[in-house]
Amino acid sequence: MKKFFALTINGKLRYELIFEKLFFFLLISTFIFGILNKNSFIYLSSLLTLVVSLLIKLVFMYTRFKATLLLYFLSQLFIFLSMFLGRIISIYSIFPYWDKFVHFYSGIILFFIGLAIFTTLCKSNLNKNFSLSILFGIFFSISMAGLWEIYEFTTDLLLKLNSQNHSLTDTMIDIICGSISTIISSIIYIFYSKYRNNK
C-alpha cells in the first residue's frame, strides 16, 4: 500500500508520480464539487475518469507488464488531456481540433504500449523479433483506436454525452488521426533502433 502512494523511487523524487497524485486530487475535488452542486455530469465524469486512471495504475503496478515509468506518465497524461480537460472542463467545445490532437497523441502512446505488451508476452528482447514487434505495435494501436470509439459511443449513449458529435465522419477522422501517428511513430522508432544498433 505504501508503494501505491509513493512519490519517490529509490529515494529519488519522480515528476511522473507527482503528476499522478495531483491528477487524482484534482479528480476527487471535481467529484466533490459535482456532488455539492448536484451536477451529475461533473461527478459521474470525474468518477469515471478516476476509475480509468486507477485501473491504469494497477495494471502498471501489479502485472508483469514491461513498461517504463515514462510510458505510465504519458498514459496518465492522455487521460488528463482527453477525459479531464476534454470532457469535464469542456476543452473540446473551446478548441475544435483538440479532439483530433488527442487522438493523434493516443496513436503514439498506444504504439509503444503495444511494443511493451509484445515484450511481456514473448519474454524476449525486441531486437530478436523486431519486425513482428513493429507490426504488433501498429495493429495494437489501430485496434485500440477503434475500441476507444466504441467506448465513446457507449458513454454517449448511456450518459447522454456528445463525444462523437453524433457523426460517423468524426469517428472515422479520429481513427485516421490515431492511425497516422501510429505509422509515424513506427517509422521513427525503426530509424532510431537502426541508428542505436549501428552506434
Side-chain angles (χ1 to χ4, degrees):
M1 184 60 69
K2 186 181 294 186
K3 183 181 178 182
F4 189 89
F5 294 101
L7 290 174
T8 62
I9 293 181
N10 296 327
K12 184 178 180 181
L13 198 64
R14 301 292 306 201
Y15 69 88
E16 300 95 335
L17 299 178
I18 294 174
F19 173 82
E20 168 205 271
K21 301 304 184 297
L22 289 175
F23 185 30
F24 289 167
F25 175 77
L26 194 58
L27 289 172
I28 293 171
S29 299
T30 54
F31 174 74
I32 295 172
F33 173 83
I35 291 179
L36 293 177
N37 288 273
K38 298 180 180 179
N39 189 322
S40 60
F41 171 77
I42 290 181
Y43 71 71
L44 286 175
S45 296
S46 299
L47 181 61
L48 178 63
T49 304
L50 182 61
V51 169
V52 172
S53 297
L54 288 173
L55 284 175
I56 290 175
K57 181 175 179 64
L58 292 173
V59 167
F60 273 79
M61 284 185 65
Y62 298 112
T63 68
R64 295 181 180 180
F65 179 52
K66 296 180 179 178
T68 63
L69 196 57
L70 174 61
L71 189 56
Y72 170 69
F73 165 71
L74 294 176
S75 300
Q76 291 288 8
L77 181 61
F78 170 74
I79 300 301
F80 174 75
L81 294 173
S82 60
M83 298 182 71
F84 182 78
L85 290 184
R87 177 166 291 176
I88 299 173
I89 306 300
S90 299
I91 293 292
Y92 289 131
S93 61
I94 300 173
F95 300 104
Y97 294 104
W98 184 261
D99 183 53
K100 306 305 173 245
F101 161 71
V102 168
H103 282 279
F104 187 87
Y105 174 61
S106 71
I108 299 171
I109 302 171
L110 289 169
F111 170 72
F112 287 104
I113 289 178
L115 293 182
I117 291 174
F118 182 87
T119 303
T120 303
L121 293 175
C122 293
K123 299 179 181 179
S124 64
N125 190 289
L126 286 178
N127 293 326
K128 294 181 179 179
N129 299 285
F130 186 73
S131 298
L132 188 58
S133 68
I134 296 296
L135 288 174
F136 184 91
I138 292 173
F139 291 138
F140 174 82
S141 180
I142 295 175
S143 298
M144 289 300 103
L147 285 176
W148 181 262
E149 292 303 317
I150 293 174
Y151 159 79
E152 286 192 340
F153 171 80
T154 304
T155 54
D156 283 356
L157 192 64
L158 297 178
L159 301 178
K160 308 301 180 183
L161 304 177
N162 189 25
S163 304
Q164 297 182 311
N165 295 317
H166 303 299
S167 168
L168 177 61
T169 300
D170 181 77
T171 299
M172 292 310 300
I173 292 176
D174 289 346
I175 293 176
I176 290 170
C177 285
S179 300
I180 289 174
S181 62
T182 296
I183 299 300
I184 293 174
S185 299
S186 65
I187 293 173
I188 293 174
Y189 181 76
I190 289 170
F191 280 104
Y192 169 76
S193 297
K194 288 185 176 180
Y195 169 78
R196 184 183 60 185
N197 291 334
N198 290 335
K199 189 174 181 181

